[in-house]
């Protein structure tokens, strides 16, 4: 199979957030009718409220979901954000994962990094309001949880440091930065980088009553054919004691996860820390503990993210593997991966939610299975047979609002007949 991640194009071309024109959110004010008692194997259809994750990602990088374009007036940006929150409520979702640090920048007034260009159109320009503060307040007013979503190491979607504002930390510290695949990344092997990115993220956790801290699937960057991530000097300085560079890289990411978990708990004890990795840890052909898949990317080997260990050792409060394939997919069958993750989470303190590829539903470029509006509903029905699965998160907000073929409406009608509290 080709390289596939949260976004259909994220691994294949590493241009995950280069969208076509983004429509304004479409949200009906009509509430869903109360659901009848659900059929066996389906959650959320009974008369009693359930406890499960019902989330959506709200992506801001490259204006993927929000704001619909950079440079809107503050009132227009706020209105679009509120409409997405109202859409989540209408569909009986209970959590929004709001991307607040897409490219070493900030969607709040940060002393560490510049304002995001995806707000005003110019990096560092004050948009005239506080998106993260508003999102937390308005989400809570609607009974939604708000998880702050951070990308730890991506600096820019281009590879020219001169295009960053002069005061950007990546320009003040050029030794921190590695150009790769046409983009800029912080070097995860540098202790000072690991400390800095944590400081930048924890600033938001200390200032705002976020319900969670969320990392996506980007640690070391997805591999680009014919290119090498140039961290040889860092490895020579810090890699003694490791048999191979790959082991050292995994240790760097393990340290980030362990340290962030501890700092989140210290800064805001009620906030939970979670990660949404690419859905394949390792193929069984590579490691007998792996899944019955033939994925072109394996997080352990390619992103140096040992997600299985994080779950088994309880380093995370929750994990949301991106199971972005249809049932019956020849290289990565949804049902087989679902079973593998359920077994991996069994007995762990880490709660398992499943990342769902709503963005594929009705996309004519996707396989036939994704033209069927019932495909995602069947995913939830399969998951109901695995008690380890505590809910689902949908990528992404624009697709939740647009709902091209009614796949999200079908999920809500079949599974979300009653309100739900988030599992704790």
């Amino acid at each position: 199979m080709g390289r596939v991640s949260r976004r259909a194009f994220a691994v294949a071309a590493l241009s995950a957030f280069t969208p076509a024109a983004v429509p304004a959110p479409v949200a009906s004010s009509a509430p869903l009718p109360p659901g009848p008692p659900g059929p066996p194997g389906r959650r959320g259809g009974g008369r009693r409220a359930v406890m499960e994750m019902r989330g959506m990602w709200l992506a801001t990088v490259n204006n993927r979901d929000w704001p619909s374009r950079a440079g809107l007036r503050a009132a227009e940006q706020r209105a679009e954000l509120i409409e997405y929150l109202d859409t989540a409520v209408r569909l009986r979702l209970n959590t929004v994962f709001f991307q607040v640090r897409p490219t070493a920048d900030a969607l709040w007034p940060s002393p560490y990094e510049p304002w995001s260009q995806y707000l005003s159109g110019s990096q560092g320009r004050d948009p005239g309001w506080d998106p993260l503060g508003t999102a937390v307040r308005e989400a809570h007013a609607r009974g939604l949880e708000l998880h702050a979503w951070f990308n730890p190491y991506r600096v820019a979607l281009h590879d020219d440091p001169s295009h960053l504002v002069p005061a950007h930390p990546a320009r003040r510290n050029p030794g921190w930065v590695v150009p790769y695949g046409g983009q800029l990344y912080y070097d995860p092997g540098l202790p000072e980088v690991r400390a800095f990115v944590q400081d930048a993220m924890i600033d938001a956790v200390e200032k705002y009553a976020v319900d969670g801290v969320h990392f996506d699937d980007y640690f070391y960057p997805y591999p680009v054919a014919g290119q090498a991530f140039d961290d040889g000097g860092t490895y020579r300085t810090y890699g003694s004691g490791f048999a191979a560079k790959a082991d050292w890289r995994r240790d760097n990411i393990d340290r980030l996860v362990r340290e962030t978990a501890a700092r989140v708990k210290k800064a805001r004890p009620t906030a939970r820390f979670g990660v949404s990795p690419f859905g394949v840890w390792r193929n069984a052909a590579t490691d007998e503990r792996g899944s019955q898949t033939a994925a072109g990317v394996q997080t352990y080997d390619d992103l140096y993210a040992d997600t299985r260990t994080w779950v088994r050792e309880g380093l995370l409060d929750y994990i949301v593997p991106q199971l972005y394939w249809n049932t019956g997919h020849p290289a990565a069958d949804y049902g087989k991966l679902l079973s593998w993750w359920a077994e991996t989470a069994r007995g762990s303190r880490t709660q398992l939610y499943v990342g769902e590829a709503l963005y594929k539903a009705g996309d004519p470029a996707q396989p036939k299975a994704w033209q069927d509006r019932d495909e995602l509903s069947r995913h939830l029905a399969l998951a109901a047979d695995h008690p380890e699965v505590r809910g689902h998160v949908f990528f992404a907000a624009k697709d939740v609002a647009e709902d091209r073929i009614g796949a999200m409406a079908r999920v809500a009608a079949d599974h979300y007949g009653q309100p739900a509290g988030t599992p704790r």
Side-chain angles (χ1 to χ4, degrees):
M1 133 185 123
R3 292 184 303 225
V4 183
S5 87
R6 165 181 311 218
R7 307 97 188 146
F9 31 83
V11 184
L14 290 181
S15 57
F17 297 97
T18 309
V22 178
V26 178
S28 167
S29 60
L32 291 169
R42 292 195 171 184
R43 257 194 291 262
R47 294 298 183 185
R48 296 173 58 190
V50 295
M51 300 296 291
E52 64 177 344
M53 169 60 69
R54 301 176 183 175
M56 73 178 186
W57 283 288
L58 178 55
T60 59
V61 67
N62 247 359
N63 301 103
R64 197 277 177 194
D65 295 329
W66 177 89
S68 58
R69 61 178 176 83
L72 293 177
R73 295 192 303 271
E76 294 172 317
Q77 292 181 4
R78 184 181 184 280
E80 287 188 353
L81 178 62
I82 295 301
E83 191 153 11
Y84 275 128
L85 299 180
D86 288 342
T87 296
V89 171
R90 178 176 59 84
L91 292 168
R92 294 204 176 99
L93 305 182
N94 57 20
T95 305
V96 174
F97 297 81
F98 184 36
Q99 190 177 36
V100 298
R101 186 180 185 264
T103 53
D105 51 10
L107 270 72
W108 75 96
S110 168
Y112 295 94
E113 294 177 309
W115 280 106
S116 177
Q117 65 182 333
Y118 305 122
L119 296 171
S120 67
S122 297
Q123 189 176 69
R125 181 183 297 170
D126 189 332
W129 70 302
D130 180 356
L132 177 54
T134 299
V136 170
R137 183 174 62 253
E138 296 293 342
H140 288 173
R142 289 160 173 76
L144 298 167
E145 285 202 353
L146 195 291
H147 290 224
W149 165 16
F150 302 92
N151 185 288
Y153 292 125
R154 181 172 57 205
V155 174
L157 301 184
H158 57 77
D159 61 3
D160 187 349
S162 70
H163 291 170
L164 303 172
V165 292
H168 196 290
R171 291 190 66 176
R172 296 200 310 266
N173 302 279
W176 290 6
V177 180
V178 178
Y180 179 75
Q183 302 187 19
L184 296 175
Y185 299 89
Y186 283 132
D187 185 346
L190 293 171
E192 57 268 38
V193 163
R194 192 169 68 247
F196 171 79
V197 298
Q198 289 178 52
D199 289 344
M201 295 184 294
I202 294 299
D203 177 68
V205 181
E206 291 175 338
K207 289 177 177 175
Y208 302 98
V210 296
D211 300 290
V213 171
H214 187 75
F215 287 174
D216 54 28
D217 50 325
Y218 294 92
F219 294 99
Y220 279 87
Y222 280 90
V224 177
Q227 298 190 31
F229 189 78
D230 187 10
D231 59 352
T234 310
Y235 177 53
R236 288 189 292 273
T237 301
Y238 297 103
S240 61
F242 291 91
K245 182 188 283 188
D247 295 329
W248 168 73
R249 284 177 170 176
R250 275 186 289 273
D251 184 69
N252 293 329
I253 303 304
D254 286 349
R255 288 173 184 265
L256 172 73
V257 169
R258 290 179 186 274
E259 292 169 6
T260 301
R263 292 189 65 176
V264 168
K265 194 58 61 181
K266 181 179 180 181
R268 192 167 294 280
T270 58
R272 294 188 294 157
F273 175 48
V275 174
S276 57
F278 179 76
V280 176
W281 173 71
R282 298 187 98 182
N283 298 318
T286 305
D287 187 322
E288 63 181 9
R289 299 170 298 172
S291 52
Q292 294 297 322
T293 50
V297 167
Q298 302 168 93
T299 62
Y300 183 92
D301 302 277
D302 296 308
L303 308 181
Y304 306 97
D306 189 0
T307 52
R308 180 181 182 275
T309 293
W310 302 346
V311 172
R312 298 302 301 163
E313 295 186 1
L315 303 184
L316 306 173
D317 295 311
Y318 66 86
I319 193 163
V320 195
Q322 299 168 25
L323 304 193
Y324 287 178
W325 300 274
N326 54 277
T327 52
H329 191 287
D333 178 82
Y334 178 89
K336 291 179 180 178
L337 276 166
L338 182 73
S339 297
W340 186 89
W341 278 103
E343 181 180 352
T344 296
R346 191 170 301 140
S348 167
R349 67 169 290 272
T350 301
Q351 294 190 336
L352 172 62
Y353 314 136
V354 178
E356 301 286 352
L358 177 65
Y359 72 97
K360 290 186 175 182
D363 180 349
Q366 296 297 330
K368 181 179 178 181
W370 292 106
Q371 311 314 314
D372 181 353
R373 70 170 183 167
D374 291 332
E375 174 68 21
L376 281 181
S377 183
R378 287 193 288 267
H379 289 191
L380 272 68
L382 284 172
D385 292 331
H386 296 277
E388 297 83 7
V389 178
R390 305 289 299 278
H392 303 259
V393 184
F394 300 91
F395 192 83
K398 178 183 69 174
D399 309 281
V400 170
E402 183 179 321
D403 199 14
R404 281 184 296 259
I405 58 172
M408 192 68 218
R410 172 61 70 191
V411 164
D414 288 351
H415 303 279
Y416 296 165
Q418 299 297 325
T422 52
R424 284 277 174 174

